[in-house]
Amino acid sequence: MYLRLITGKAAQALSRIRFNGGSQYLYSTTSTRIASNFLVKYLIDSLGFSKKEATFTSSKLTSQKTLKNPDLVLNFLKQTGFDKTDIKILVSRAPTLLYRDVSKTLKPKLQCLMDLGLSGSDLVNVIAKDSNIFMRSLDTHLRPTIDCLRRILGSDEDVAKAIKRAPWLLSFGTHHIMETNVLFLRNYGFSNVIVKKFVLRSPGCINLKPKWFKDLLHIVEKDFRVLPDSPSFLRGFQVLASQNKSLLEKKIGIFKSFGWSDDDILEMFRKLPYCIAKSEVRIQKSLNLYMKELGFEPAYLASHPAILAYSLEKRVAPRMQVLKILDGKKLERRKWTLYRVLMITESKFIEYFVLPYKDQIPYLYESHKKTVSP
């Protein structure tokens, strides 16, 4: 059932493409080393670990070490702004953190991030999302990676924005990967401005393995037939980078089960790639509503894909309910297509379809506001 556009080497490449910000940094849980009683007791007494949690965390260490003064590490983290829960999570993910030298290792790395403008909760959140930052070499990894991001993004402020969105940029892969992928984008004709926008919007993509990155550019252009100068090209790249082959097959299969052709799917993707990023359940629900209940044809939906992207619960259903109430009471209203009704902003919808009827239907405004998104 897989869309015939993606075949051969391209399909194999896409099946390997995945990006998961956190899972790559977990220590192996298969180690059978018996942790020292001291470390187990320390985790229980200082951080509130259960006996089971402490033993499991200790087993992640690959060699016996002596805790010289772990309180220095804990105090440093507390002073930085981490609460007990944050610290427990950090240590459970990377117990070697307790063995780090505060002055020589932890403070300089933290200062490196602070020099970018990260502070307070932003700084804590970055470290909490990827404790592996503390494990990377300052001189051979962190600083070169930050310098690379500076060259791509142009300012410390934008580097900080990218890191806040994807903290693993600082620990996963190397700056050479970023530089290679940026070169691929430039060879496709993308300007520095566009590359910067792409990295800020989807920072995780820039760290894909270069072979996969290059293959995916080819897939978007040749298999999905999106031209590089189209605004949808890099958005399509981002969407496909988040899907594996099996998942993409299933989603395309859902569209085809409703009578969509390859050309319909291609047109939808070219106009709004995000429609493929929605979950299988949401795609199924949307197609059930628009095609089975409302009678829309695939060609119409493919050429008006925004209608598929809106939340059924927070936008589509509430607005349809308002129209149903107005029509049920035979009140005059704007005779717009559903697509046009869904496209306007919430404030305009209220102005056009709710407020004019507040005298005839006093409860309409409050009822509608309870069901829509802010």
Side-chain angles (χ1 to χ4, degrees):
M1 184 147 324
Y2 191 48
L3 188 60
R4 292 189 301 276
L5 340 155
I6 305 177
T7 58
K9 292 183 179 179
Q12 294 172 12
L14 185 57
S15 70
R16 296 194 302 269
I17 294 174
R18 273 198 199 69
F19 194 83
N20 187 321
S23 63
Q24 318 194 32
Y25 313 127
L26 298 178
Y27 281 73
S28 170
T29 60
T30 60
S31 171
T32 58
R33 184 184 65 79
I34 304 300
S36 70
N37 290 333
F38 176 76
L39 179 55
V40 172
K41 186 175 186 304
Y42 184 83
L43 293 175
I44 294 171
D45 294 344
S46 300
L47 291 172
F49 278 67
S50 67
K51 179 67 178 297
K52 183 177 180 180
E53 289 172 334
T55 302
F56 178 74
T57 298
S58 300
S59 72
K60 295 177 183 179
L61 296 173
T62 57
S63 62
Q64 291 284 352
K65 295 184 179 183
T66 301
L67 287 175
K68 294 179 179 179
N69 194 351
D71 287 337
L72 287 177
V73 174
L74 298 191
N75 290 336
F76 167 72
L77 293 174
K78 289 175 183 175
Q79 290 168 9
T80 302
F82 292 90
D83 60 27
K84 191 172 181 178
T85 300
D86 293 327
I87 296 172
K88 181 178 178 182
I89 293 172
L90 285 177
V91 173
S92 67
R93 289 176 178 170
T96 55
L97 182 61
L98 293 173
Y99 300 97
R100 301 290 167 169
D101 186 296
V102 172
S103 299
K104 294 181 180 179
T105 304
L106 300 185
K107 281 185 178 179
K109 292 176 181 178
L110 207 62
Q111 187 61 51
C112 188
L113 298 180
M114 293 172 69
D115 290 343
L116 290 173
L118 290 168
S119 61
S121 60
D122 287 337
L123 182 62
V124 170
N125 288 337
V126 165
I127 300 296
K129 289 177 181 176
D130 184 16
S131 58
N132 207 48
I133 289 172
F134 278 143
M135 309 303 143
R136 285 294 198 174
S137 166
L138 179 62
D139 294 323
T140 64
H141 190 93
L142 294 181
R143 282 181 177 149
T145 300
I146 289 172
D147 287 342
C148 178
L149 287 170
R150 280 195 183 106
R151 291 192 293 273
I152 297 170
L153 300 175
S155 70
D156 285 356
E157 181 182 359
D158 284 333
V159 172
K161 286 181 183 177
I163 291 172
K164 283 192 289 186
R165 293 199 66 179
W168 49 90
L169 280 175
L170 293 182
S171 60
F172 175 67
T174 68
H175 62 283
H176 300 297
I177 289 177
M178 294 184 194
E179 290 167 342
T180 301
N181 290 338
V182 166
L183 183 60
F184 286 144
L185 292 174
R186 287 176 179 154
N187 288 341
Y188 256 75
F190 295 110
S191 67
N192 291 340
V193 172
I194 292 177
V195 170
K196 174 182 174 178
K197 288 181 179 178
F198 171 70
V199 174
L200 284 174
R201 185 173 64 240
S202 0
C205 289
I206 207 65
N207 253 337
L208 288 172
K209 289 184 178 180
K211 173 68 167 63
W212 299 352
F213 193 97
K214 185 178 181 180
D215 286 342
L216 191 51
L217 289 171
H218 180 87
I219 290 170
V220 177
E221 180 183 18
K222 301 301 181 182
D223 295 330
F224 280 89
R225 304 175 202 168
V226 183
L227 297 177
D229 60 359
S230 166
S232 294
F233 187 91
L234 289 178
R235 293 187 182 277
F237 180 100
Q238 178 189 2
V239 166
L240 292 183
S242 68
Q243 314 288 309
N244 60 49
K245 179 186 174 184
S246 175
L247 181 59
L248 188 58
E249 274 185 333
K250 290 177 182 177
K251 292 180 179 181
I252 290 174
I254 293 173
F255 283 101
K256 289 196 166 187
S257 71
F258 279 83
W260 287 53
S261 67
D262 287 355
D263 287 339
D264 292 329
I265 296 170
L266 285 171
E267 181 176 5
M268 176 191 68
F269 186 88
R270 284 194 293 267
K271 287 178 176 291
L272 192 61
Y274 172 73
C275 292
I276 292 291
K278 296 189 70 175
S279 70
E280 297 167 71
V281 172
R282 291 193 173 277
I283 291 173
Q284 186 86 36
K285 285 183 177 180
S286 293
L287 295 179
N288 273 328
L289 171 65
Y290 294 124
M291 297 187 70
K292 290 188 176 180
E293 295 183 32
L294 300 178
F296 287 110
E297 294 294 327
Y300 180 84
L301 294 176
S303 62
H304 299 77
I307 200 171
L308 296 171
Y310 291 130
S311 167
L312 295 181
E313 297 81 9
K314 295 182 178 181
R315 192 182 191 102
V316 180
R319 294 190 182 188
M320 288 180 62
Q321 179 64 18
V322 168
L323 299 183
K324 182 178 179 181
I325 291 173
L326 296 181
D327 292 342
K329 292 185 176 293
K330 295 182 170 48
L331 295 173
E332 288 293 326
R333 66 170 178 87
R334 295 169 189 256
K335 298 301 181 182
W336 287 2
T337 63
L338 178 60
Y339 177 77
R340 190 177 179 188
V341 170
L342 294 178
M343 286 291 290
I344 59 176
T345 63
E346 180 61 19
S347 60
K348 285 296 182 183
F349 178 79
I350 290 175
E351 178 185 343
Y352 295 158
F353 295 98
V354 178
L355 293 181
Y357 310 98
K358 61 182 180 180
D359 292 333
Q360 298 101 313
I361 316 175
Y363 63 86
L364 186 61
Y365 178 80
E366 290 301 327
S367 174
H368 176 71
K369 289 301 290 182
K370 286 180 181 179
T371 58
V372 298
S373 57

